[in-house]
Amino acid sequence: RRRFFQSPMGMAAAFMALNATYGCAFAGDENEASDPDLANNRAEGLADQFIMDMHTHFLRDDTRLDGFARFRQAVGQMGWNTELNAREQTVDDLKFDNYRREIFFDSDTKIALISSAPSEIEQDWFLTNEQMAAARTRVNNEAGSRRLMTHAIFTPGAPGWLDALDAALELRPDSVKGYTVGDNTHKDLARHPWRMDDEATTYRGYERMVAAGVKNVCVHKGLWAPQLDAQYPNLAPYADVRDVAKAARDWPQLNFIIYHAGFRHIGNDPAEALAEFDRTGRLSWVSDLADIPSQHGVTNVYGDLGQIFASTIVAQPRVAAAIMGILVKGLGVDHVCWGSDAVWTGSPQWQVEGLRRLEIPEDMQAQHGFAPLGDARGPVKTAIFGDNNARLYAITDAERNAWRTDALTQAKAAYSQSGGLPSNRRYGYAAQG
């Protein structure tokens, strides 16, 4: 069974099962689930699609953070996703070697950006800025093309943060990223939350970014379940998107890419998010983000799909459809950006296939005025998968197509010819029927 679900035919069967379970509108011919030639031909026909995943992670070799591996193990043991009990989950799956395989060999991703997260404990940064830059050099030298890009993490208000930002900018990052709650890894230790619109502090960082020629500011927002408000009242006011609009208005020369699109409902039963949407027509903080352009007259606010697509597309696909509808309607299709947050949830390929097949159900389109997402290669999904990120990061036509003949593609071909198959394993909540 596991081998079947590693195949294009198994992937098709999975999405047809979701249609039957949730009454969704995943595209697909039921014959794909039983005809390997039909399924393989479809997969091969989409393999050259330009996918630019600007939200990925791995952990440093000397990491002390075993929480992601323990979470995977716990999800299996609690019965939420029993397939994860098949083998012990280890932190090695979250380090560079497996990252390289899952991003570039086991998915159709062409260009990725490696991200990180800061901590009050220096060793508990996912990766240092220097380690991200080194990974970029390693992958791009191997490929002979521009396959990997990087963030530089900035930490407004922390001791020495401006000097640290200056040093990070000397590494020529492709964009910068910050967490307004501060230390998201150890929330109990977080002492330096910050606001995007803080003129006295954060704006000094923006000045240096502009001077260095960095235009894209990625900011972690959301992923803050309601119960965290009481647990971390000192951080809760910094988790939502209320500080986005003023920063965007004051800094039109910057692009503010809001990671996770501010989605609040993480860690809870996804049915809670669906209940909110069915009751109000809104999703906490996603709708607030999507309202910003019309309410504040700005055009430099973007929504990233990292983690929120992974957390909803299988467990509650109508929530995924609602997210897509809200963001496309409010921000515009040219302001919604592909990010997977892999490898926390495994290779991004199952997410890629989810968006390729996803359609907003007709009842939701009619009730909420959502436009259809269209075909896998249609204008909406083409923009989200790659065109928007390519524009933001000034990717040239030559860079966009260099993957076709580079050394990494040749290595991927050898991997496939030797029998390598993607796991298509999804790490996380799976609804039990």
Side-chain angles (χ1 to χ4, degrees):
R1 185 177 65 176
R2 188 169 296 114
R3 194 71 172 175
F4 170 72
F5 281 112
Q6 287 180 263
S7 70
M9 188 167 60
M11 183 74 79
F15 284 101
M16 295 306 98
L18 287 172
N19 276 346
T21 302
Y22 292 103
C24 295
F26 288 108
D29 183 336
E30 290 189 0
N31 291 327
E32 285 184 66
S34 57
D35 185 336
D37 290 336
L38 187 64
N40 290 338
N41 288 340
R42 180 186 181 278
E44 291 168 4
L46 290 169
D48 69 343
Q49 188 171 29
F50 182 68
I51 295 174
M52 194 168 167
D53 186 344
M54 303 307 277
H55 189 167
T56 69
H57 289 279
F58 68 88
L59 294 176
R60 58 201 283 177
D61 285 339
D62 64 346
T63 186
R64 309 184 313 163
L65 302 176
D66 62 354
F68 291 103
R70 285 190 288 106
F71 170 75
R72 290 178 172 186
Q73 201 73 47
V75 164
Q77 291 170 351
M78 288 186 287
W80 289 350
N81 188 346
T82 55
E83 289 295 317
L84 298 182
N85 292 326
R87 66 177 179 84
E88 182 181 0
Q89 306 299 317
T90 73
V91 74
D92 287 340
D93 291 336
L94 303 168
K95 293 183 178 180
F96 176 80
D97 286 345
N98 194 54
Y99 169 89
R100 173 180 172 274
R101 179 180 64 81
E102 291 201 331
I103 298 294
F104 295 113
F105 289 6
D106 286 353
S107 87
D108 291 335
T109 301
K110 308 305 186 295
I111 296 175
L113 182 144
I114 185 66
S115 188
S116 184
S119 175
E120 301 282 353
I121 301 172
E122 185 175 352
Q123 191 179 348
D124 287 350
W125 283 49
F126 293 173
L127 295 166
T128 67
N129 290 324
E130 292 78 10
Q131 287 169 333
M132 284 189 283
R136 176 181 59 184
T137 298
R138 178 177 177 182
V139 169
N140 292 346
N141 283 351
E142 174 194 2
S145 69
R146 193 180 185 192
R147 288 296 203 101
L148 192 62
M149 302 166 77
T150 69
H151 278 145
I153 299 298
F154 76 120
T155 56
W161 77 277
L162 281 172
D163 289 340
L165 176 58
D166 286 340
L169 291 172
E170 290 181 1
L171 298 169
R172 302 181 66 81
D174 301 283
S175 56
V176 296
K177 180 188 177 188
Y179 286 70
T180 52
V181 297
D183 188 343
N184 192 55
T185 304
H186 304 298
K187 295 180 179 68
D188 54 323
L189 300 179
R191 298 294 181 269
H192 302 96
W194 50 277
R195 289 181 60 93
M196 291 175 61
D197 59 1
D198 184 336
E199 296 181 16
T201 303
T202 312
Y203 281 22
R204 298 172 67 191
Y206 297 157
E207 290 172 354
R208 300 192 183 198
M209 295 168 201
V210 170
V214 175
K215 295 182 178 181
N216 297 326
V217 182
C218 304
V219 182
H220 173 104
K221 286 288 191 180
L223 303 193
W224 189 270
Q227 60 265 29
L228 294 180
D229 289 351
Q231 192 173 356
Y232 302 104
N234 60 316
L235 303 181
Y238 300 88
D240 61 29
V241 299
R242 72 184 78 180
D243 55 343
V244 175
K246 183 179 185 301
R249 190 170 58 247
D250 290 349
W251 293 88
Q253 64 272 60
L254 294 174
N255 300 309
F256 292 94
I257 304 161
I258 306 306
Y259 271 25
H260 318 293
F263 184 68
R264 179 168 171 83
H265 293 285
I266 203 74
N268 293 344
D269 186 336
E272 294 182 18
L274 183 60
E276 179 194 35
F277 179 74
D278 287 343
R279 185 177 68 255
T280 68
R282 296 177 67 83
L283 285 172
S284 288
W285 306 350
V286 175
S287 295
D288 296 332
L289 179 71
D291 288 342
I292 288 175
S294 63
Q295 292 182 355
H296 299 274
V298 298
T299 60
N300 56 338
V301 173
Y302 295 75
D304 152 83
L305 297 173
Q307 191 57 237
I308 62 174
F309 195 79
S311 297
T312 58
I313 190 64
V314 172
Q316 191 48 263
R318 285 181 67 88
V319 175
I323 289 170
M324 299 303 300
I326 290 168
L327 292 177
V328 170
K329 183 178 180 181
L331 298 180
V333 68
D334 57 347
H335 281 60
V336 181
C337 299
W338 182 245
S340 66
D341 218 6
V343 294
W344 301 153
T345 52
S347 171
Q349 186 62 22
W350 62 270
Q351 295 187 56
V352 168
E353 194 63 19
L355 182 55
R356 282 171 171 167
R357 293 180 182 272
L358 179 66
E359 185 54 272
I360 298 173
E362 290 184 0
D363 65 303
M364 293 176 68
Q365 292 185 38
Q367 183 175 355
H368 301 285
F370 295 155
L373 299 177
D375 295 337
R377 286 192 182 273
V380 173
K381 293 175 182 176
T382 296
I384 293 170
F385 270 135
D387 285 359
N388 296 340
N389 280 328
R391 185 182 67 254
L392 281 168
Y393 286 88
I395 298 298
T396 67
D397 287 343
E399 290 171 330
R400 185 180 176 119
N401 289 288
W403 67 270
R404 296 179 183 277
T405 57
D406 73 9
L408 203 54
T409 290
Q410 295 172 28
K412 179 178 181 177
Y415 168 78
S416 298
Q417 290 169 5
S418 67
L421 281 175
S423 72
N424 291 334
R425 182 180 289 110
R426 175 184 180 274
Y427 294 94
Y429 179 95
Q432 300 299 303

